[in-house]
Amino acid sequence: MNGRASTVREAVAAQVLGEVDDLVLRLENVARTIQGQESSHEASAAALLDAADKFKGAVTQFSEAATTQVREAVERHAHEVVTQTRAEAAAAMQEAARQAWRTSTMDEADRLAQRLRGLALQFKPLPYWQRLTESALGGLAGASLVVMLLFFAGKL
């Protein structure tokens, strides 16, 4: 039995050693797989960091472009509002000047009309006989003057 026991022991030891060898091989394969996974994870992490930097750059560029567009739109709108406000102010000033001119000319016209009314009230037409007498006397005076001039000139 002793011979057989050593054979059984040897068989069990060989079996155990074979299984341990299989476990060691599997453990070595696991180590290689872990190293491969680690390399893969490092590459993935580097790719993710690179993609994050690119995304950050794209977001920054988009944000700057949007800011520029908004600034330009606000400046354009402000320019339009200022231009429109200037035009409205100029139109309001022109209308105010027209109103002032109309008011001043109307005041002047009213003053002149009142003066003319006052003068018209002072002017009273003379009666018919008085106007006829004045015209006759004026004609007689004019004719007398002409006769005197001709007399002194030696033409009469």
Side-chain angles (χ1 to χ4, degrees):
M1 282 227 155
N2 215 357
R4 212 168 163 209
S6 88
T7 310
V8 172
R9 263 191 231 163
E10 287 174 9
V12 170
Q15 177 103 17
V16 169
L17 286 175
E19 288 178 7
V20 168
D21 188 44
D22 287 342
L23 288 174
V24 168
L25 287 174
R26 286 176 65 193
L27 190 58
E28 287 175 356
N29 286 336
V30 167
R32 279 186 230 124
T33 304
I34 288 174
Q35 286 176 351
Q37 292 294 328
E38 185 179 334
S39 299
S40 174
H41 289 312
E42 287 175 1
S44 296
L48 283 173
L49 289 173
D50 186 46
D53 287 342
K54 288 179 182 177
F55 179 75
K56 181 181 176 183
V59 167
T60 302
Q61 186 179 15
F62 174 76
S63 175
E64 288 173 356
T67 302
T68 302
Q69 289 176 351
V70 167
R71 183 181 308 117
E72 289 172 357
V74 166
E75 288 173 355
R76 189 171 41 253
H77 181 69
H79 177 70
E80 290 171 1
V81 167
V82 166
T83 302
Q84 184 178 8
T85 303
R86 284 181 185 162
E88 289 174 357
M93 286 189 287
Q94 287 176 351
E95 184 59 31
R98 282 188 199 105
Q99 285 294 94
W101 184 78
R102 286 181 192 137
T103 302
S104 68
T105 56
M106 289 303 217
D107 290 345
E108 184 70 20
D110 285 343
R111 190 176 55 79
L112 289 174
Q114 289 175 356
R115 189 167 179 199
L116 285 174
R117 280 188 204 107
L119 290 174
L121 289 175
Q122 291 176 3
F123 177 74
K124 294 181 183 174
L126 297 174
Y128 182 70
W129 64 269
Q130 192 175 3
R131 284 187 302 191
L132 187 61
T133 306
E134 279 182 358
S135 296
L137 287 176
L140 187 61
S144 300
L145 183 64
V146 169
V147 168
M148 277 177 38
L149 284 174
L150 287 175
F151 181 71
F152 286 126
K155 301 281 180 183
L156 273 179

